[in-house]
Amino acid sequence: MDDFMQAAIEQARLGLEEGGVPIGSVLVHEGRIIGRGHNQRQQRGSAVLHGEMDALENAGRQPASVYRNSVLYTTLSPCSMCSGAILLYGIPRVVVGENRTFLGEEALLRERGVSVEVLDDATCRELMTRFIDAHPEVWNEDIGES
């Protein structure tokens, strides 16, 4: 497995250990991780800290040229909010662990010129499936469902 996706999975597991939704992400610039993050909506009572948003936050302010030469790895297909951030900062490539448990805005990203690669990784899928089965109410809240 790709080392960067493995790092995103480690973030997802960390989030699960903390009592949150197991979604992890890393932002990679020129072959080096500059931001790691995991979903922290439960842990921090946040409305916006999805895994991708946390990775971007932890990367800190970067010049536009850094984002435009970066790759975002995420264990789950990015939602509308996270896809908006990807588009806003001009991140040209996203590697997705899986999109069976949740299909985010991949079509929008592709329409806007972002390269989206879906790995269909069994580990990512298993983490989400087990979490959704055990905590459907938390999951539904996370994706804005009732």
Side-chain angles (χ1 to χ4, degrees):
M1 172 180 292
D2 181 293
D3 289 342
F4 299 128
M5 183 53 69
Q6 188 59 48
I9 290 170
E10 289 169 13
Q11 286 294 306
R13 287 184 172 134
L14 178 60
L16 183 62
E17 289 170 13
E18 294 173 351
V21 181
I23 302 169
S25 184
V26 295
L27 183 64
V28 177
H29 178 255
E30 296 182 349
R32 183 176 66 86
I33 296 173
I34 62 171
R36 298 172 191 265
H38 54 277
N39 187 302
Q40 295 197 58
R41 292 189 74 245
Q42 299 301 309
Q43 301 92 307
R44 295 185 52 192
S46 171
V48 298
L49 279 182
H50 283 187
E52 300 92 335
M53 302 298 281
D54 192 40
L56 288 168
E57 178 69 16
N58 289 327
R61 287 179 58 191
Q62 298 293 328
S65 61
V66 170
Y67 296 117
R68 284 172 172 54
N69 289 297
S70 293
V71 179
L72 185 73
Y73 287 76
T74 179
T75 59
L76 186 65
S77 184
C79 72
S80 299
M81 175 177 64
C82 297
S83 293
I86 291 163
L87 294 173
L88 177 67
Y89 291 111
I91 297 169
R93 182 169 176 241
V94 177
V95 179
V96 176
E98 69 99 358
N99 64 3
R100 291 193 205 185
T101 58
F102 177 78
L103 179 58
E105 298 296 334
E106 294 172 22
L108 172 65
L109 291 171
R110 287 184 178 108
E111 286 171 14
R112 298 284 297 273
V114 176
S115 169
V116 178
E117 178 184 356
V118 180
L119 303 178
D120 196 25
D121 180 78
T123 301
C124 295
R125 199 169 47 252
E126 182 181 328
L127 278 167
M128 284 309 303
T129 299
R130 280 194 281 155
F131 183 83
I132 292 168
D133 288 346
H135 307 284
E137 70 291 342
V138 173
W139 171 242
N140 286 333
E141 177 190 326
D142 198 68
I143 59 171
E145 302 270 326
S146 319

